Amino acid sequence: MALKNTFLFKILKYGSVVCGSPRSGRAATAAILGRSPFRYYYNNAGKPSSRGAGGTSHARVVDLRSDTVTKPGPAMRQAMAEAEVGDDVMGEDPTVNDLQQIAADLFGMEAAIFVPSGTMSNLIAVMVHCRERGDEMIVGDLSHLHIYEQGGSAQVSELHIPQKKKKKKSLILVKCVFIVMMQLAGVHSTTVTTLPDGTFDLKQLEAKIRHGYPDPHYPRSRLICVENTHNIQGGRVLPLPFLQEVRALADQYGVSLHMDGARLMNAAVAQEVPPSAILQHTHTVSVCLSKGLGSPVGTVLAGPRDFISKALRCRKALGGGMRQAGILAAAGKFSLENMIGRLVEDHRNAKTFALGEHRPPNVPNGCRSCPSSYLCSISLPALLDCKPPLFVVDVSAVETNILRFALQDSTMTPQEFCTRMSEVGEDEEAALGQGVQVLMYPHFGNSVRAVWHLGISAEDTRLAIQKMRFVASRYFTEIIK
Amino acid sequence: MALKNTFLFKILKYGSVVCGSPRSGRAATAAILGRSPFRYYYNNAGKPSSRGAGGTSHARVVDLRSDTVTKPGPAMRQAMAEAEVGDDVMGEDPTVNDLQQIAADLFGMEAAIFVPSGTMSNLIAVMVHCRERGDEMIVGDLSHLHIYEQGGSAQLAGVHSTTVTTLPDGTFDLKQLEAKIRHGYPDPHYPRSRLICVENTHNIQGGRVLPLPFLQEVRALADQYGVSLHMDGARLMNAAVAQEVPPSAILQHTHTVSVCLSKGLGSPVGTVLAGPRDFISKALRCRKALGGGMRQAGILAAAGKFSLENMIGRLVEDHRNAKTFALALLDCKPPLFVVDVSAVETNILRFALQDSTMTPQEFCTRMSEVGEDEEAALGQGVQVLMYPHFGNSVRAVWHLGISAEDTRLAIQKMRFVASRYFTEIIK
């Protein structure tokens, strides 16, 4: 296997240690041999060796739980260590100011603001777009904003909001996993049905806009939110024509359009367009630096100048006014300047896990989704080719770094599968040469989610595939008995 | 002048450069000579040389606007660079976990949580203590929570507040406090009193330290009525150092506390909120909802650990420098300033100008500008930055970026401004 920029290091006594780079090879070796001075300093592939359920300390960890686990590497740490700082609440941190300018330019927006998290970024966007009592926002029913942000948009005293009728709607919305979005900003939300590709039906969207306003029964529609890439649906990239049409509808009705672009760069890389080509269709955007882009902390919220100056106030009220934040912004700059292009590797690795590897390695892209690919000479079959079939996966839906797949009916639950993948069985080392712990999360709709990121190399991906095949074969052995 | 750990460097051609330490001497010199590789890397006293209104690039800046301007020095930066990190939302950042444990132990609390700012810390405390609709909190009318946090407790948390009158020493009248508690509840006219907030040290009143007997009495009242007591302890360590007690001796009287790491303690970012375990687990949820769930926050927590382990004791120098400046104000002849030196307990100095002299704004402006004849008179231009403050006063804040020598320069500048003012009014 020709692995670009990898260093295969074998310690016969301890089993093999395969790492994504010379540095992490050295660090992983040191960890195994009991010395760990640099374990945390380098950008290791996965977490350092840890004991699995099987009790071995040699297990390699392949952490596919999320791209939020990315750690800063040496160059990024150096940028942070040398960052010029100032009091950002006073507007005097030059590194934060730089980052905000770089981001605004990259996104084709007038201005930008650096915030501690994507949750805060989206909440600020809602607070600024929907700043009058009685405003309403429209979100996808499976959007991160709606499901995972603890109902931040609506988390507050309904005493202040005369929306008696809305109580009924609130109860309907509660059917979703997390509480309704009204906690903090006092903004009512209504949802549109999220389609498998992350989009939604435009007719349904139009119907959700409150045409009866200003009749006092109705809130005022102020905001539509889209999510790109769409997390729950498996890292789906929103098609540009869809965005164009949503924007046209928004303009027609005087409603704003905000993009939760936590993984926007993954979309841009997948579509092979600059981010501004996507963002021309939105008024504002939130882009995470701490996910696939590798920064330790932070997100950038971007939009018109007036929006950003109001956003500054909201950020302060929420408690996001940090002081010498240039330490963090330096990492953000480094991310935007150096770490966008490499996302294509994460996409490739995710696809490989779904599709497997085929010989010859230069198989044209067209073959990759061919239903007869199993007839080709497969060097490393993965989810799709697992025989007997254990998995259900739509490889054409694997567009970026997130892979969402299910298990065949009457086999394992997602939880069982994830547990088996994360444990190291007694006979595993004998069968595979080493223990491998693959960490993934059970996911919406009885599926499993695995996320690729800079800490997961092509070799880690192969190990994960091997582990998956091992788990599959053991499962089938058990059910035969 | 015997200056401990200072390095007097004089470049005759450029005027004198007086710095608080050898490193910043070198850096300041480099800045003057046009090289600035380490200007930002070292813990300079004040901001690097910048142009004053007088147009000179040799002016020394003495930044007394706030202790939030403190920058990390080399050792702190190294701690940050080497920090072991993980995803803190998943609870996997060992450095954050360490910091939280260290803080909890230091404060005598069960648990603690690291948050991006004091504003968020106080907001979370309000959200957790007052989590039912119809709850009410009691705060000082001049508290930071009430004045400077954009009304977040109402805006975001939906909590009604009522105020008590803040006395000059930062305390309030206990009878008034008791009267503010809603004895009529649960009659539906009345909200339910859930929380009392105290601020220590008290910012607006000039860095005042709350007396321990006062805290004890407030806590007794709170317990009597089943109300919680939260301390906005942004500058708690200044109080502890001034009173020469461990922080836990102060905090035994409160249920929860918010302590800033980014002010006098010198960390770049962050605050710790501490309290009972159950409170902190609810606080974790609020922090996430507000958007304070950071990922590899250990980078920042490493600086916080460094602060708690190394930078508490030195606060006594900031207190000393503030006091020195206050005594100088008092000695100014003819008298221009009104200052109660006994009220200067920590690193914040609040003073006023005599009636019919200057406004606080004018004074601050003159202190920050470099006059044409100033270099001739003083040997160099000095820009002293302060803020006009509540009640027609001026506030100046000492911190690790202000040395004893900077304080002397600020005193010189103050005398220069005073003498020029009196010269003008005589004409």
Side-chain angles (χ1 to χ4, degrees):
Chain A
M1 296 180 277
L3 300 168
K4 187 179 175 190
N5 287 334
T6 59
F7 181 74
L8 184 65
F9 191 98
K10 212 157 178 158
I11 311 175
L12 292 168
K13 188 173 174 192
Y14 294 94
S16 61
V17 172
V18 183
C19 311
S21 74
R23 276 215 192 93
S24 54
R26 195 163 61 229
T29 311
I32 285 170
L33 296 174
R35 300 186 307 270
S36 64
F38 302 110
R39 181 177 61 185
Y40 46 78
Y41 197 87
Y42 292 101
N43 183 14
N44 276 349
K47 283 194 333 208
S49 302
S50 55
R51 284 175 165 61
T56 172
S57 63
H58 308 150
R60 180 146 194 89
V61 177
V62 180
D63 192 351
L64 302 175
R65 291 175 300 168
S66 178
D67 48 5
T68 59
V69 304
T70 52
K71 297 183 190 186
M76 186 181 278
R77 280 183 182 264
Q78 185 167 3
M80 285 192 281
E82 293 176 352
E84 187 166 355
V85 297
D87 189 322
D88 186 53
V89 171
M90 299 182 188
E92 290 175 5
D93 189 302
T95 308
V96 173
N97 293 340
D98 271 358
L99 168 65
Q100 289 168 168
Q101 189 60 57
I102 289 167
D105 293 342
L106 182 64
F107 303 155
M109 296 280 179
E110 284 180 6
I113 185 175
F114 177 63
V115 297
S117 70
T119 297
M120 187 183 286
S121 189
N122 286 326
L123 181 53
I124 291 173
V126 169
M127 287 172 71
V128 178
H129 283 300
C130 302
R131 57 187 171 281
E132 284 188 37
R133 201 174 307 110
D135 284 347
E136 185 173 76
M137 58 188 285
I138 306 170
V139 285
D141 63 346
L142 295 181
S143 62
H144 192 277
L145 244 165
H146 191 68
I147 297 291
Y148 292 125
E149 295 181 18
Q150 231 190 95
S153 310
Q155 212 187 80
V156 86
S157 86
E158 281 151 4
L159 287 172
H160 295 267
I161 302 158
Q163 293 177 354
K164 297 184 210 55
K165 284 215 165 180
K166 306 305 151 258
K167 274 225 136 133
K168 281 203 194 133
K169 281 223 155 126
S170 304
L171 290 171
I172 293 167
L173 293 169
V174 166
K175 77 180 181 210
C176 300
V177 178
F178 285 76
I179 63 175
V180 184
M181 290 174 59
M182 261 190 243
Q183 228 192 117
L184 297 157
V187 178
H188 195 250
S189 45
T190 185
T191 58
V192 282
T193 311
T194 309
L195 303 174
D197 65 355
T199 66
F200 37 78
D201 182 76
L202 290 162
K203 287 202 178 60
Q204 191 194 31
L205 173 63
E206 189 170 14
K208 292 285 183 169
I209 293 172
R210 299 289 198 156
H211 306 291
Y213 176 86
D215 176 299
H217 287 82
Y218 307 117
R220 179 172 56 162
S221 302
R222 290 308 297 269
L223 179 65
I224 299 165
C225 293
V226 291
E227 184 178 330
N228 193 17
T229 63
H230 198 284
N231 177 3
I232 285 179
Q233 297 297 44
R236 300 304 300 267
V237 179
L238 299 185
L240 295 175
F242 167 76
L243 290 174
Q244 195 169 14
E245 289 178 60
V246 176
R247 175 61 183 261
L249 206 69
D251 287 345
Q252 183 183 346
Y253 292 103
V255 171
S256 297
L257 178 54
H258 171 71
M259 176 177 286
D260 174 0
R263 298 183 174 90
L264 175 79
M265 296 307 188
N266 294 80
V269 162
Q271 288 175 318
E272 293 175 334
V273 297
S276 50
I278 300 173
L279 299 175
Q280 62 176 312
H281 303 298
T282 71
H283 290 103
T284 57
V285 67
S286 169
V287 180
C288 286
L289 303 168
S290 64
K291 295 187 168 74
L293 294 177
S295 283
V297 171
T299 292
V300 179
L301 173 65
R305 219 174 293 280
D306 180 60
F307 171 89
I308 292 299
S309 67
K310 291 185 165 76
L312 202 97
R313 285 183 54 78
C314 292
R315 184 186 70 173
K316 189 79 178 71
L318 290 169
M322 297 183 284
R323 299 289 175 175
Q324 285 75 33
I327 303 283
L328 300 174
K333 279 173 66 174
F334 187 93
S335 285
L336 292 181
E337 287 165 356
N338 300 290
M339 303 188 56
I340 297 177
R342 64 152 308 289
L343 293 173
V344 72
E345 295 176 33
D346 301 335
H347 301 177
R348 188 179 305 136
N349 289 327
K351 199 87 169 185
T352 300
F353 190 87
L355 199 56
E357 281 180 346
H358 295 73
R359 230 181 241 127
N362 296 329
V363 151
N365 276 341
C367 287
R368 295 196 168 273
S369 52
C370 168
S372 306
S373 61
Y374 69 94
L375 293 172
C376 301
S377 173
I378 298 169
S379 65
L380 185 64
L383 289 182
L384 194 64
D385 302 313
C386 181
K387 298 282 180 289
L390 180 57
F391 305 101
V392 182
V393 59
D394 174 6
V395 286
S396 69
V398 183
E399 297 171 328
T400 57
N401 64 321
I402 300 180
L403 168 58
R404 184 183 178 191
F405 60 95
L407 291 121
Q408 300 273 0
D409 286 341
S410 314
T411 58
M412 283 181 272
T413 64
Q415 184 57 65
E416 283 178 60
F417 177 71
C418 290
T419 303
R420 288 180 186 233
M421 288 292 280
S422 71
E423 289 172 346
V424 176
E426 283 158 11
D427 50 342
E428 185 176 322
E429 250 183 273
L432 299 183
Q434 64 175 318
V436 178
Q437 293 179 268
V438 180
L439 311 179
M440 293 180 283
Y441 278 146
H443 192 55
F444 260 75
N446 214 36
S447 64
V448 178
R449 186 192 81 162
V451 185
W452 270 260
H453 53 83
L454 60 90
I456 307 294
S457 63
E459 189 54 34
D460 291 318
T461 307
R462 280 187 201 96
L463 288 173
I465 292 172
Q466 280 188 340
K467 174 75 181 210
M468 175 271 297
R469 288 152 56 76
F470 176 77
V471 164
S473 77
R474 287 211 57 198
Y475 170 75
F476 285 118
T477 309
E478 285 166 17
I479 62 170
I480 282 166
K481 291 177 183 161
Chain B
M1 297 179 277
L3 301 170
K4 187 174 177 199
N5 287 333
T6 60
F7 179 75
L8 183 65
F9 190 99
K10 212 158 177 158
I11 310 174
L12 291 168
K13 186 171 176 191
Y14 294 95
S16 58
V17 174
V18 182
C19 310
S21 74
R23 276 215 192 93
S24 56
R26 195 163 61 230
T29 309
I32 286 172
L33 296 174
R35 299 189 307 272
S36 64
F38 301 110
R39 181 176 64 183
Y40 46 82
Y41 198 86
Y42 291 100
N43 184 13
N44 275 348
K47 285 197 325 210
S49 301
S50 57
R51 283 174 166 60
T56 173
S57 62
H58 308 152
R60 180 145 193 90
V61 177
V62 180
D63 192 350
L64 303 174
R65 290 176 300 167
S66 178
D67 48 8
T68 58
V69 304
T70 52
K71 297 183 189 185
M76 186 181 278
R77 280 183 182 263
Q78 184 165 8
M80 286 193 281
E82 294 175 352
E84 187 166 355
V85 297
D87 189 325
D88 186 53
V89 172
M90 299 182 187
E92 289 175 6
D93 190 299
T95 308
V96 173
N97 293 339
D98 271 359
L99 168 66
Q100 290 170 166
Q101 189 60 57
I102 288 169
D105 293 343
L106 184 64
F107 304 154
M109 296 279 179
E110 285 180 5
I113 183 174
F114 178 63
V115 298
S117 70
T119 297
M120 187 182 285
S121 189
N122 287 329
L123 182 54
I124 291 172
V126 169
M127 287 171 71
V128 178
H129 283 299
C130 304
R131 58 188 170 282
E132 284 187 39
R133 201 175 308 110
D135 284 346
E136 186 175 76
M137 57 190 281
I138 305 170
V139 283
D141 64 345
L142 295 181
S143 60
H144 192 276
L145 234 165
H146 190 68
I147 300 288
Y148 291 127
E149 297 183 13
Q150 218 190 105
S153 51
Q155 203 194 134
L156 299 159
V159 178
H160 194 249
S161 15
T162 186
T163 59
V164 283
T165 310
T166 311
L167 302 174
D169 65 355
T171 66
F172 36 79
D173 181 74
L174 290 161
K175 286 201 177 60
Q176 190 193 32
L177 172 62
E178 189 171 13
K180 291 284 183 169
I181 293 172
R182 299 288 198 158
H183 306 291
Y185 177 85
D187 178 297
H189 287 82
Y190 307 117
R192 178 172 56 164
S193 301
R194 287 312 295 271
L195 179 65
I196 300 165
C197 294
V198 292
E199 183 178 328
N200 193 17
T201 63
H202 199 282
N203 177 4
I204 285 180
Q205 299 296 46
R208 302 303 301 264
V209 179
L210 299 184
L212 295 176
F214 167 74
L215 289 175
Q216 194 168 14
E217 290 180 57
V218 176
R219 175 62 182 261
L221 207 69
D223 286 346
Q224 183 183 348
Y225 292 104
V227 172
S228 297
L229 179 54
H230 171 71
M231 175 177 287
D232 175 1
R235 297 184 174 91
L236 175 78
M237 295 308 190
N238 293 79
V241 162
Q243 289 175 316
E244 295 177 331
V245 297
S248 51
I250 300 174
L251 299 177
Q252 61 176 313
H253 303 297
T254 71
H255 290 103
T256 58
V257 68
S258 169
V259 180
C260 286
L261 303 168
S262 63
K263 294 188 170 73
L265 295 176
S267 283
V269 171
T271 292
V272 177
L273 174 64
R277 219 174 295 279
D278 180 60
F279 171 88
I280 293 298
S281 66
K282 292 185 166 75
L284 204 98
R285 283 181 55 77
C286 292
R287 183 186 71 173
K288 189 79 177 72
L290 291 170
M294 298 183 284
R295 299 291 174 175
Q296 285 72 33
I299 302 283
L300 301 175
K305 279 174 67 175
F306 188 92
S307 285
L308 293 181
E309 288 166 354
N310 299 290
M311 302 188 59
I312 297 176
R314 66 152 305 289
L315 294 174
V316 72
E317 295 176 34
D318 302 336
H319 300 178
R320 188 180 306 137
N321 288 328
K323 197 90 170 190
T324 302
F325 191 90
L327 291 168
L329 289 180
L330 203 61
D331 294 328
C332 182
K333 298 286 179 284
L336 182 56
F337 306 101
V338 181
V339 58
D340 175 4
V341 180
S342 68
V344 184
E345 296 170 327
T346 57
N347 64 319
I348 299 180
L349 167 59
R350 183 182 181 194
F351 61 95
L353 291 119
Q354 299 274 359
D355 286 340
S356 313
T357 58
M358 284 182 273
T359 64
Q361 184 56 66
E362 284 179 58
F363 177 71
C364 291
T365 304
R366 290 181 185 234
M367 289 293 279
S368 71
E369 290 172 345
V370 177
E372 285 161 5
D373 49 345
E374 185 176 325
E375 250 182 272
L378 299 181
Q380 66 175 316
V382 178
Q383 292 178 269
V384 180
L385 310 180
M386 292 181 280
Y387 278 146
H389 193 53
F390 257 76
N392 214 37
S393 64
V394 179
R395 187 193 81 162
V397 185
W398 271 261
H399 53 83
L400 60 89
I402 306 294
S403 64
E405 189 55 33
D406 291 318
T407 305
R408 277 183 206 99
L409 288 173
I411 290 171
Q412 277 190 342
K413 176 74 180 212
M414 176 271 293
R415 291 193 181 122
F416 176 76
V417 165
S419 78
R420 288 211 56 195
Y421 170 76
F422 284 118
T423 309
E424 284 167 18
I425 62 170
I426 283 169
K427 289 176 187 165

